[in-house]
Amino acid sequence: MIKAAFFDIDGTLLSHSSGRVPADTRQALKHLRDKGILVFTSTGRHILELDELDARDLEFDGYVLLNGQLCLDSRRKLLHAVPIHSEDIRGAWQIFEKMEIPTVFVEQDRAYMNFINERVRTAQTAISSPPPEPGRWGGKPVYMVNMFADEADMAEVMKQMPHCQMTRWNPYGVDIVSKDGGKVTGMGWMMNCFGIRREEIIAFGDGENDREMLAFAGIGVAMGNADAAVKECADYVTEDVDHGGIWLGLREAGVI
């Protein structure tokens, strides 16, 4: 029996064609909660970003954020955190300071970047969010680094961040997090907090950073707009969010 549902945000709950969470998606989440099924995020987003989106008013029983690096309860109290290794941050900081690659540092309470170019503007427009404000690193733990670069540049970057892993969230940008983290790690902490087993969860996603999550969940559902590689990791493939994908996926899986 399904006891919890984990949802990616971008392209899963949130439509970027409209910039909104469709009414049928909202109805589906309410139906889950009415049935006593716990509802969680599992996203690369920061909690501050969620507050700027149409998803800000959705009720969640917990938040798996920054691709699993931060886990918060329903009151946004910190449950678990996986910072990036200090050696890797020093390598990323050199890149940040040289101003050669647009780079974002994400801390628990803020996100900031070195500079903005057209690649950044295009990437952020695609996810309905403005770029982070300029800032400087003050030595606090960093939980995720975003870089806006092509594959060749990122291959060189990762040589300077040996304790990290990279996942691409759109053609223009990547997320870099600790190898000790990831969405599944964050989900595991949340499951332990609530006494939920792997076979009792359903997960929805559409991006490269959702592949591990969909394969891990008792039931993994890929959105219709997902790449073929993401769909291969899922038990079901539903429609996209603009065509009732969440509701249809839950119904196909026998959850509602």
Side-chain angles (χ1 to χ4, degrees), residues 127-144:
I127 61 170
S128 307
S129 289
E133 295 293 326
R136 293 182 61 81
W137 183 49
K140 289 186 177 181
V142 174
Y143 297 96
M144 186 167 73

Side-chain angles (χ1 to χ4, degrees), residues 52-200:
E52 297 175 349
L53 300 172
D54 187 52
R56 70 180 68 87
D57 62 327
L58 296 177
E59 292 186 55
F60 295 105
D61 295 286
Y63 301 83
V64 177
L65 304 166
L66 305 183
N67 291 317
Q69 311 313 293
L70 284 179
C71 296
L72 311 180
D73 66 13
S74 60
R75 297 170 296 175
R76 303 188 175 189
K77 178 181 177 181
L78 182 65
L79 297 175
H80 178 64
V82 183
I84 292 177
H85 193 282
S86 58
E87 176 186 336
D88 295 40
I89 287 300
R90 285 193 293 271
W93 180 243
Q94 293 176 7
I95 298 167
F96 191 105
E97 286 284 86
K98 289 179 180 178
M99 306 283 281
E100 294 176 352
I101 298 175
T103 303
V104 180
F105 275 25
V106 186
E107 300 176 2
Q108 181 176 341
D109 299 316
R110 69 177 186 135
Y112 49 93
M113 74 182 304
N114 52 358
F115 73 98
I116 296 170
N117 63 11
E118 193 59 34
R119 189 183 187 99
V120 175
R121 295 186 187 94
T122 300
Q124 294 299 122
T125 298
I127 61 170
S128 307
S129 289
E133 295 293 326
R136 293 182 61 81
W137 183 49
K140 289 186 177 181
V142 174
Y143 297 96
M144 186 167 73
V145 174
N146 306 130
M147 289 191 182
F148 299 82
D150 59 26
E151 299 300 331
D153 285 338
M154 289 314 304
E156 292 302 312
V157 168
M158 295 310 293
K159 292 178 182 178
Q160 300 183 55
M161 303 183 73
H163 305 94
C164 285
Q165 57 184 322
M166 179 191 79
T167 183
R168 184 165 290 280
W169 48 271
N170 78 9
Y172 305 96
V174 301
D175 294 335
I176 303 172
V177 299
S178 170
K179 287 181 178 177
D180 295 326
K183 284 192 176 185
V184 168
T185 299
M187 291 165 65
W189 274 89
M190 202 65 76
M191 290 159 59
N192 288 337
C193 287
F194 287 88
I196 301 167
R197 299 192 302 273
R198 176 179 179 178
E199 60 268 24
E200 295 173 329

Side-chain angles (χ1 to χ4, degrees), residues 23-56:
D24 55 13
T25 297
R26 291 176 174 275
Q27 182 182 6
L29 298 188
K30 182 180 184 302
H31 194 78
L32 289 176
R33 294 177 63 85
D34 288 346
K35 289 187 65 174
I37 295 173
L38 300 171
V39 177
F40 302 98
T41 69
S42 186
T43 177
R45 292 277 198 175
H46 194 285
I47 193 68
L48 299 177
E49 292 181 284
L50 295 188
D51 288 339
E52 297 175 349
L53 300 172
D54 187 52
R56 70 180 68 87

